[in-house]
Amino acid sequence: MSKKLTIGLFGFGVVGQGLYDIIKTKNLNIEIKKIAIKDAGKERSLPASYFTTDKDELLNDPEINTIIELINDTEAAFEIASRALSSGKSVVSASKKMIALHLEELLKLQDQYDTSLLYEGAVCGSIPIIRNLEEYYDNELLHSICGIFNGSSNYILSKGFLEGMDYATALKQAQDLGFAETDPTMDVGGYDAKFKLIIAAAHAYGVVVEPEAVLNLGIENLAADDIQYAREKGLKIKLVPVAKELDDEHVALFVMPKLVTPDEFLYNVEYEYNGVIVQAAFADQQFFFGKGAGGHPTGSAVLSDVAALRYDYQYEYKKLRTNKGLKFTNDIELCVYLRYEDDELVEALEFVEIKERYYSGSYKYIIGKLKLSKLIDNKQRISDQKAFLAFADQLTGVSLVSAK
Amino acid sequence: MSKKLTIGLFGFGVVGQGLYDIIKTKNLNIEIKKIAIKDAGKERSLPASYFTTDKDELLNDPEINTIIELINDTEAAFEIASRALSSGKSVVSASKKMIALHLEELLKLQDQYDTSLLYEGAVCGSIPIIRNLEEYYDNELLHSICGIFNGSSNYILSKGFLEGMDYATALKQAQDLGFAETDPTMDVGGYDAKFKLIIAAAHAYGVVVEPEAVLNLGIENLAADDIQYAREKGLKIKLVPVAKELDDEHVALFVMPKLVTPDEFLYNVEYEYNGVIVQAAFADQQFFFGKGAGGHPTGSAVLSDVAALRYDYQYEYKKLRTNKGLKFTNDIELCVYLRYEDDELVEALEFVEIKERYYSGSYKYIIGKLKLSKLIDNKQRISDQKAFLAFADQLTGVSLVSAK
């Protein structure tokens, strides 16, 4: 039978409001008791007695057995989550950055206090990817995960590719629609996608990786030349996080723009949609598709997590606990498209193999193979030069290999 | 920690062979001990000592704790599954018809002997839809499930729509590729999709429905006129099973061709692919996409089930056990496109409302609203007249409603 949940809710924006409405109308055995907000002055749709600006009123209330955390501040979110878990309350959170940064500690707290932290809403909106990686795909049988994890940068890319809109206008639109994070670097720089990738990798492969150790290149430097190049070749550019098992001992992670061919599932993922491709045993591809940005998709995932807590659902982190030595590595080679200004960058990257090289007065590019570590070493240089880089394995027929 | 599985395998076709290969190379703590086959004379890739034609050698072997059942014969499959479950063995099966017909008994056996029957491979190939309905989507929050559940009929429709191929040639090709069941009526008549729908509905809504009670109309009577009609309107025709919650007490199920608009996810599901749309709380649509027919997708799902058995995974059938009175009903109205020969059929169907009516010498159609029960009463008449019927709610802006 289901357990009655008495909820303390942090944050009352689109998601919080929507959650309240559904919980009220549906017969879920869930009650929202108190809502913590930052701004006491704002007009609310509920009686004032629901609200407080004092987080302790929720965290110290013994009747509240479940905390839903939907706030923007990473460190405040971590404090709420860890205090709640430590006092025996279950937590549902949608803060990917907080979870990616503190995964190790959050795992320990769940173990120590036998409490449950669920966060489906933190990764790819309504797509239940964490649950599927956690429950369904055995790591031995999982070749890779990749996808479009950030709706905001995908929206910008779609506007550019499909409508010819320039970058700045598209970014502004994404922000106006509520798809983009307050700091656009999080989205367009690939940080948001990286946090999600790190969370997914923990459930897919049982590895806990520091965000700092994982390369993320974004779409900030995408130029008209790059779009034209892709168009002429019948390709699109997408921002794609990748987790790939190289062998029985190594898994590689990175976030990078990717040149996508029309026969790839991601080719048709446009605007604020997210898509996840799971490549599993029998070389079979599974594609999960849904809205990735905005309040409703997140709300849908948060609500599913809350519903599961009524049955005391916990992530088992089975793969973490039984990890037989699968380790994260950056020691791989990959093929990239690089548009650059100065030859000095090309030299610094020490290409192992150059497959194509083109230059005219204003536009120079290389397609070639290099070590991921060289990209990591030269991240600042790439950024300073406003060079644009995209993963291009699909094109060259080369697949990710260990650099050894 | 994972449990060692010792497996008795029934059937050694593409799926069985592929399973064997993967289990051998991966470190899964799984051993295939014995394989039961029908034809002892066929040449095999493994030593003869692996094979037997005597099912008792597997079912009576106390060392074998897991049965994988991949045979074609429904009643033989049921005997194997029920004997195995009754003797404490876990079972993985891909026989949708067997499971849909015997769901009630299979549930009882699992309860009585505390054994586990998993069957992800029976529904939509590699798409983990059963697991997601079972684990992730609460029935209170699940508005509807629909999709393309039969790769073979979808292949035929794609051949017709995209390549102008005639029905008989397309069917022959689907069979040659191993997508079609031996009896094509199972695929093109919507029976296969119906069995899958019934299994999905048990996990989605906690209802066990007799296959006989659910209407299935197929694509056998699809004519060039229907394809032309759809093309002119910018639509496609897909064979779509639907499960929809009408209110807190009623859920409707049916399988029917559907006129699909370009903004629906299913519009782009072509050939042997399957797609499942889950409409959940916050009115958010989740789309699962993958190969639905052929040995590899099924093998991938079977393997995931087997891997889960190492951790004693069982379906909880939570929604069945806590069902608060959600019941199956055929008491709904819906909008259809009907191409017909004889006015007598139109009269018999007692349209509640006619929205469009067209006739020329050779081509007559109606778009209108009618009771599902009238379609059920007149199924034979529809078939005799070679009339073609497609669900058209999307077009008319009408949504399924209870007929009351």
Side-chain angles (χ1 to χ4, degrees):
Chain A
M1 279 303 300
S2 80
K3 185 168 102 178
K4 162 106 195 251
L5 299 187
T6 304
I7 291 192
L9 172 64
F10 283 84
F12 200 62
V14 184
V15 182
Q17 174 81 57
L19 275 176
Y20 178 85
D21 292 342
I22 291 185
I23 286 171
K24 200 183 56 191
T25 51
K26 286 285 180 178
N27 185 13
L28 289 166
N29 204 16
I30 296 175
E31 180 208 352
I32 294 185
K33 189 179 175 190
K34 205 85 192 177
I35 302 168
I37 46 168
K38 241 180 7 200
D39 181 358
K42 228 188 231 174
E43 197 157 326
R44 307 284 176 178
S45 54
L46 297 177
S49 61
Y50 269 105
F51 297 98
T52 176
T53 54
D54 176 11
K55 60 177 180 300
D56 291 342
E57 266 197 64
L58 282 64
L59 292 170
N60 294 339
D61 184 338
E63 233 184 70
I64 288 176
N65 55 16
T66 306
I67 294 291
I68 302 179
E69 177 279 301
L70 301 170
I71 65 175
N72 250 327
D73 177 336
T74 300
E75 287 316 305
F78 178 62
E79 197 210 329
I80 291 164
S82 48
R83 277 188 56 195
L85 291 171
S86 309
S87 62
K89 300 186 198 308
S90 303
V91 178
V92 175
S93 167
S95 302
K96 45 248 162 192
K97 187 175 176 186
M98 183 273 278
I99 294 158
L101 284 174
H102 296 286
L103 195 51
E104 194 91 53
E105 297 144 278
L106 292 166
L107 280 167
K108 279 198 194 119
L109 288 170
Q110 289 178 77
D111 270 355
Q112 195 177 341
Y113 298 98
D114 193 23
T115 44
S116 176
L117 168 68
L118 303 180
Y119 39 76
E120 192 63 76
V123 184
C124 298
S126 58
I127 299 176
I129 187 63
I130 297 303
R131 208 66 89 77
N132 276 280
L133 294 171
E134 169 76 12
E135 301 276 334
Y136 187 69
Y137 294 103
D138 194 275
N139 56 351
E140 286 276 344
L141 306 174
L142 199 61
H143 301 325
S144 67
I145 323 160
C146 67
I148 290 168
F149 286 20
N150 180 269
S152 163
S153 55
N154 201 54
Y155 182 88
I156 294 168
L157 290 170
S158 289
K159 282 281 173 186
F161 266 82
L162 304 181
E163 303 176 26
M165 187 179 281
D166 68 275
Y167 183 86
T169 315
L171 172 61
K172 177 73 173 47
Q173 271 201 9
Q175 286 173 321
D176 291 348
L177 286 164
F179 297 155
E181 301 283 323
T182 329
D183 172 6
T185 313
M186 284 292 114
D187 294 310
V188 297
Y191 292 91
D192 176 83
K194 179 163 82 170
F195 297 138
K196 293 167 177 169
L197 178 68
I198 281 171
I199 299 171
H203 291 273
Y205 292 112
V207 292
V208 176
V209 184
E210 290 290 324
E212 274 188 8
V214 176
L215 176 70
N216 56 300
L217 294 173
I219 58 166
E220 309 98 320
N221 300 342
L222 181 72
D225 279 334
D226 305 315
I227 294 186
Q228 200 187 326
Y229 170 85
R231 274 224 189 96
E232 283 174 7
K233 306 280 179 185
L235 306 168
K236 287 182 186 166
I237 294 168
K238 299 288 183 186
L239 182 58
V240 178
V242 176
K244 189 168 161 56
E245 195 181 44
L246 302 168
D247 53 44
D248 284 352
E249 287 169 31
H250 299 97
V251 54
L253 309 182
F254 57 85
V255 179
M256 222 181 278
K258 181 177 196 289
L259 287 164
V260 177
T261 58
D263 58 346
E264 293 180 74
F265 288 144
L266 299 182
Y267 190 85
N268 291 313
V269 177
E270 298 291 0
Y271 298 104
E272 73 270 30
Y273 281 90
N274 278 191
V276 184
I277 295 169
V278 175
Q279 178 107 26
F282 280 93
D284 193 46
Q285 286 195 348
Q286 190 53 50
F287 184 46
F288 300 80
F289 185 66
K291 280 204 179 142
H296 280 194
T298 306
S300 164
V302 168
L303 192 54
S304 288
D305 277 349
V306 175
L309 285 176
R310 297 175 306 152
Y311 298 94
D312 289 317
Y313 179 74
Q314 292 183 276
Y315 297 140
E316 284 184 67
Y317 300 99
K318 214 158 48 188
K319 296 168 193 172
L320 265 167
R321 296 187 207 284
T322 61
N323 188 328
K324 294 167 222 146
L326 201 59
K327 279 190 299 284
F328 164 70
T329 182
N330 275 321
D331 198 9
I332 55 165
E333 290 179 353
L334 69 169
C335 261
V336 299
Y337 158 96
L338 167 73
R339 184 197 30 82
Y340 63 101
E341 297 268 304
D342 196 323
D343 284 357
E344 168 242 28
L345 175 62
V346 177
E347 270 157 48
L349 290 175
E350 295 178 28
F351 277 83
V352 176
E353 189 189 341
I354 291 182
K355 290 171 184 290
E356 279 184 43
R357 186 158 196 168
Y358 171 89
Y359 46 91
S360 65
S362 60
Y363 176 38
K364 299 190 250 185
Y365 76 78
I366 279 184
I367 290 179
K369 201 157 110 181
L370 44 63
K371 289 197 162 75
L372 182 62
S373 57
K374 293 293 161 194
L375 291 177
I376 295 172
D377 296 345
N378 292 287
K379 196 181 171 191
Q380 191 56 48
R381 201 178 248 128
I382 294 167
S383 165
D384 291 346
Q385 271 208 27
K386 297 206 175 301
F388 180 75
L389 222 129
F391 185 42
D393 271 20
Q394 209 69 353
L395 264 54
T396 55
V398 176
S399 247
L400 269 190
V401 286
S402 166
K404 300 228 177 74
Chain B
M1 280 303 301
S2 80
K3 185 168 100 178
K4 160 105 195 256
L5 299 187
T6 303
I7 291 193
L9 173 62
F10 282 85
F12 200 63
V14 184
V15 182
Q17 173 82 58
L19 275 176
Y20 178 85
D21 293 341
I22 291 184
I23 286 172
K24 200 182 55 188
T25 50
K26 286 282 182 182
N27 185 12
L28 289 165
N29 205 14
I30 296 176
E31 180 209 352
I32 295 187
K33 188 180 175 190
K34 205 85 193 178
I35 303 167
I37 46 168
K38 243 186 355 206
D39 182 358
K42 229 189 229 175
E43 198 159 325
R44 307 284 175 179
S45 54
L46 295 177
S49 61
Y50 270 105
F51 297 98
T52 176
T53 54
D54 176 12
K55 59 179 181 299
D56 290 342
E57 266 196 63
L58 282 64
L59 293 170
N60 293 340
D61 184 340
E63 234 183 69
I64 288 176
N65 56 16
T66 308
I67 294 291
I68 303 178
E69 177 280 299
L70 301 170
I71 65 175
N72 250 328
D73 177 337
T74 301
E75 286 316 306
F78 178 62
E79 198 210 326
I80 291 163
S82 49
R83 277 189 55 194
L85 292 171
S86 309
S87 60
K89 301 185 199 307
S90 303
V91 178
V92 174
S93 167
S95 303
K96 46 250 163 192
K97 186 175 175 186
M98 183 273 279
I99 295 159
L101 284 173
H102 296 286
L103 195 50
E104 194 93 54
E105 295 145 277
L106 292 165
L107 281 166
K108 278 196 196 123
L109 287 171
Q110 288 179 78
D111 270 355
Q112 194 176 342
Y113 298 98
D114 192 24
T115 44
S116 176
L117 169 68
L118 303 180
Y119 40 76
E120 191 63 76
V123 184
C124 297
S126 57
I127 300 175
I129 187 62
I130 297 303
R131 207 67 89 77
N132 275 280
L133 294 172
E134 169 77 12
E135 301 276 335
Y136 189 69
Y137 294 103
D138 195 274
N139 57 349
E140 285 276 345
L141 306 173
L142 198 61
H143 300 325
S144 67
I145 324 161
C146 68
I148 290 169
F149 286 19
N150 180 268
S152 164
S153 56
N154 200 54
Y155 182 89
I156 294 168
L157 291 170
S158 288
K159 283 282 172 183
F161 266 83
L162 304 181
E163 304 176 23
M165 187 180 283
D166 68 276
Y167 182 86
T169 314
L171 171 60
K172 177 72 173 48
Q173 271 200 9
Q175 285 173 321
D176 291 347
L177 286 164
F179 297 154
E181 301 283 324
T182 330
D183 172 6
T185 314
M186 283 293 114
D187 294 312
V188 298
Y191 292 92
D192 176 83
K194 178 164 81 169
F195 296 138
K196 292 166 176 169
L197 178 68
I198 281 172
I199 298 172
H203 291 273
Y205 291 113
V207 292
V208 176
V209 184
E210 290 290 325
E212 273 188 9
V214 176
L215 177 69
N216 56 301
L217 294 173
I219 57 165
E220 309 97 319
N221 300 343
L222 180 72
D225 279 335
D226 304 315
I227 293 186
Q228 200 188 326
Y229 170 86
R231 275 224 189 95
E232 282 173 7
K233 306 280 178 185
L235 307 169
K236 287 183 187 165
I237 294 168
K238 298 288 184 187
L239 183 58
V240 178
V242 176
K244 191 170 160 54
E245 194 181 45
L246 302 168
D247 53 45
D248 285 351
E249 286 169 32
H250 299 98
V251 55
L253 309 182
F254 57 86
V255 179
M256 223 181 279
K258 181 175 194 291
L259 288 163
V260 177
T261 59
D263 59 346
E264 293 181 72
F265 289 143
L266 299 183
Y267 189 84
N268 291 313
V269 177
E270 298 291 1
Y271 298 104
E272 73 270 30
Y273 281 91
N274 278 190
V276 184
I277 295 168
V278 174
Q279 178 108 25
F282 278 95
D284 192 45
Q285 285 194 349
Q286 189 52 49
F287 183 46
F288 300 80
F289 184 64
K291 279 205 180 141
H296 280 194
T298 306
S300 165
V302 168
L303 193 54
S304 289
D305 277 350
V306 175
L309 285 176
R310 296 175 307 153
Y311 299 92
D312 288 317
Y313 180 74
Q314 292 183 274
Y315 296 140
E316 284 184 66
Y317 299 99
K318 213 157 54 190
K319 296 168 193 172
L320 264 166
R321 297 186 205 284
T322 61
N323 187 328
K324 293 167 221 144
L326 200 60
K327 278 190 300 284
F328 164 71
T329 181
N330 275 320
D331 200 8
I332 56 166
E333 289 179 354
L334 68 170
C335 260
V336 299
Y337 158 94
L338 168 73
R339 184 197 29 82
Y340 63 100
E341 298 268 306
D342 197 323
D343 285 357
E344 168 243 28
L345 175 61
V346 177
E347 271 157 46
L349 290 175
E350 296 178 27
F351 277 84
V352 177
E353 190 188 339
I354 290 181
K355 290 173 183 287
E356 280 185 43
R357 185 158 197 168
Y358 172 87
Y359 46 91
S360 65
S362 59
Y363 176 38
K364 300 191 249 186
Y365 77 78
I366 279 183
I367 291 179
K369 201 157 111 182
L370 44 63
K371 289 197 162 75
L372 182 62
S373 56
K374 292 293 160 196
L375 290 177
I376 294 171
D377 297 345
N378 291 285
K379 197 181 170 191
Q380 192 56 50
R381 201 179 248 127
I382 293 167
S383 164
D384 292 346
Q385 271 209 25
K386 297 205 174 303
F388 179 76
L389 222 129
F391 185 42
D393 270 22
Q394 210 67 356
L395 266 55
T396 53
V398 176
S399 248
L400 269 189
V401 286
S402 166
K404 298 227 176 74

